[in-house]
């Protein structure tokens, strides 16, 4: 009687690209949010993944860094393609060319990584700040991608900003618009979250922690009575890709490297 041979399991520390892409899609629930980013595999490279690089952006410098590091896969929060076809010309051509010449897979995870309950940017920041009694916060296309909760103890706005600065390494911009000079009830929304100041006020939060300021929302902090701590778009979005890479190492034994190319914004 013929014996059916079963397909061998991938060696730990090596995984077929298509298997890893399927796992990422399911784990990140990649289609759950409307998103201008083309989430998922954006450029197809080598069929076997042995080494992973992660980054916030996909600049030419980041892509070249990934290629030079020997990565087979680059996972970026901000990918190469955003909601519309782009001609492969100029700097965009050089970015795509760099990935193709290196046989580098490029995978993007934008809003799904902000919102993820285990490795998301907002989850990781809330955890680092010991935020308690968390609830969904931060409206995005019919869903919530951030978190709101309570700090373990009340602290001054300056002490809180200093604590965030130690966490991110970036000097914070503080708009003390709150009716209270202290921080206890906090909303956390990575990246461009200034538009959520009215939502923070309606939720009874005294402070919003987000990434970058926008001029059109400057007066909102003071008119809605909410303190806002701006910690940098880039620096509030380093957490998710690093946590995701650590999760891949746990799951598949894949070594990884974080490619740090800060923008100061």
């Amino acid at each position: 009687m013929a014996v059916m041979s079963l397909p061998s399991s991938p060696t730990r520390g090596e995984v077929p690209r298509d298997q890893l892409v399927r796992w990422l899609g399911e784990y990140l629930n990649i289609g759950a949010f409307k998103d201008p980013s083309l989430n998922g595999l954006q450029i197809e490279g080598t069929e076997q993944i042995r080494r992973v690089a992660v980054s916030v952006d996909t600049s030419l410098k980041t892509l070249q860094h990934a290629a030079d590091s020997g990565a087979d896969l680059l996972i970026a929060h901000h990918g190469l393609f955003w909601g519309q076809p782009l001609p492969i010309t100029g700097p965009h051509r050089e970015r795509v060319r760099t990935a193709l010449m290196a046989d580098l897979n490029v995978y993007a995870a934008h809003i799904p990584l902000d919102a993820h309950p285990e490795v998301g940017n907002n989850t990781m920041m809330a955890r680092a700040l010991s935020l308690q009694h968390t609830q969904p916060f931060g409206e995005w296309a019919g869903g919530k991608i951030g978190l709101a909760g309570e700090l373990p103890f009340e602290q001054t706005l300056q002490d809180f900003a200093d604590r965030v600065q130690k966490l991110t390494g970036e000097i914070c911009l503080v708009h003390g618009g709150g009716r209270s000079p202290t921080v206890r009830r906090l909303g956390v929304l990575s990246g461009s979250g200034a538009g959520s100041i009215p939502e923070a006020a309606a939720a009874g939060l005294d402070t919003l922690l987000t990434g970058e300021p926008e001029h059109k929302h400057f007066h909102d902090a003071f008119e809605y009575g909410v303190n806002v701590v701006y910690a940098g778009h880039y620096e509030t979005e380093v957490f998710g890709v690093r946590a995701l890479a650590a999760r891949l190492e746990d799951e598949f034994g894949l070594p990884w490297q974080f490619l740090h190319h800060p923008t100061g914004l």
Side-chain angles (χ1 to χ4, degrees):
M1 187 174 82
V3 178
M4 181 181 295
S5 61
L6 298 174
S8 59
S9 301
T11 304
R12 186 163 174 80
E14 177 178 338
V15 60
R17 176 199 61 232
D18 293 345
Q19 177 185 337
L20 186 57
V21 168
R22 284 194 300 271
W23 186 92
L24 284 166
E26 293 173 3
Y27 180 68
L28 295 172
N29 199 8
I30 208 75
F33 292 91
K34 288 186 177 180
D35 193 343
S37 172
L38 177 62
N39 290 312
L41 188 65
Q42 294 192 338
I43 293 182
E44 187 175 277
T46 182
E47 293 183 355
Q48 295 294 320
I49 308 299
R50 300 177 180 87
R51 187 171 185 84
V52 175
V54 296
S55 67
V56 176
D57 302 314
T58 48
S59 65
L60 179 59
K61 184 182 292 187
T62 302
L63 289 159
Q64 189 62 60
H65 191 172
D68 292 344
S69 74
D72 303 301
L73 169 67
L74 172 65
I75 301 175
H77 186 51
H78 302 137
L80 287 167
F81 299 96
W82 293 88
Q84 59 182 351
L86 295 174
I88 309 298
T89 59
H92 188 56
R93 172 188 180 273
E94 289 306 304
R95 293 169 183 166
V96 172
R97 179 178 179 275
T98 298
L100 291 174
M101 291 293 289
D103 211 10
L104 176 67
N105 293 281
V106 179
Y107 190 98
H110 185 230
I111 297 298
L113 191 55
D114 286 316
H116 199 273
E118 293 180 2
V119 298
N121 287 314
N122 296 303
T123 292
M124 299 307 295
M125 281 196 292
R127 190 175 299 162
L129 294 168
S130 302
L131 204 62
Q132 301 172 342
H133 313 301
T134 55
Q135 298 291 330
F137 167 79
E139 181 76 22
W140 175 274
K144 304 279 189 180
I145 64 175
L147 291 170
E150 293 185 359
L151 295 173
F153 56 90
E154 191 172 63
Q155 53 199 280
T156 69
L157 181 57
Q158 187 58 59
D159 285 346
F160 175 73
D162 290 344
R163 185 179 176 194
V164 173
Q165 182 177 330
K166 289 178 182 178
L167 175 64
T168 64
E170 188 77 19
I171 296 175
C172 297
L173 173 64
V174 179
H175 288 178
R179 295 183 176 90
S180 169
T182 58
V183 181
R184 185 65 187 273
R185 288 183 48 76
L186 175 69
V188 179
L189 190 57
S190 58
S192 297
S196 291
I197 293 171
E199 183 182 349
L205 307 181
D206 52 66
T207 305
L208 171 65
L209 170 62
T210 188
E212 65 182 291
E214 293 183 77
H215 184 270
K216 64 183 178 180
H217 296 301
F218 172 85
H219 298 287
D220 288 351
F222 305 95
E223 294 177 2
Y224 282 94
V226 176
N227 301 312
V228 186
V229 176
Y230 295 104
H233 193 131
Y234 178 93
E235 295 295 348
T236 59
E237 295 190 333
V238 302
F239 300 94
V241 289
R242 294 189 306 208
L244 177 59
R247 180 72 177 82
L248 288 178
E249 184 175 29
D250 289 342
E251 185 74 18
F252 299 103
L254 294 171
W256 62 276
Q257 180 181 1
F258 174 60
L259 310 181
H260 187 41
H261 293 281
T263 63
L265 301 174

